[in-house]
Amino acid sequence: MRAQVVKWGNGQGIRIPKSILVGMGLAAGDQVEMTVHMGKLIIEKPFRHRTLEERAMEYGGNLVSYEEEANWGEPAGREVW
């Protein structure tokens, strides 16, 4: 696909087709990382660490509290808690 560099205010710009943005998981207003390597412009979506809550949403969003997970009930026998 070809694009043309056009004057945009005091700089220049290239319009990126929506199909390419969707393919990269980007939308208008998102920030990107741009680098030049061996004469090629590389545009990448910046890496961002997701929170535990964001990761849990992939699995239904249910986070169990540590107390609930570690509670084995009352001692039954001679064990000491």
Side-chain angles (χ1 to χ4, degrees):
M1 175 177 298
R2 290 183 180 249
Q4 182 178 8
V5 178
V6 295
K7 185 169 175 56
W8 196 327
N10 290 332
Q12 291 79 37
I14 298 173
R15 291 187 184 179
I16 302 173
K18 184 176 181 179
S19 60
I20 291 177
L21 291 176
V22 169
M24 292 181 67
L26 294 171
D30 289 351
Q31 293 196 1
V32 295
E33 296 283 337
M34 294 191 308
T35 55
V36 176
H37 181 71
M38 297 179 69
K40 295 181 180 182
L41 173 63
I42 300 170
I43 301 174
E44 298 176 298
K45 186 176 181 177
F47 178 77
R48 181 182 76 80
H49 287 283
R50 295 180 298 155
T51 64
L52 181 60
E53 289 78 15
E54 289 172 330
R55 291 175 186 218
M57 290 306 293
E58 295 176 9
Y59 302 98
N62 296 328
L63 290 177
V64 178
S65 71
Y66 178 71
E67 288 98 24
E68 290 177 28
E69 195 169 303
N71 184 0
W72 293 293
E74 294 298 319
R78 295 184 310 183
E79 62 263 2
V80 177
W81 297 83

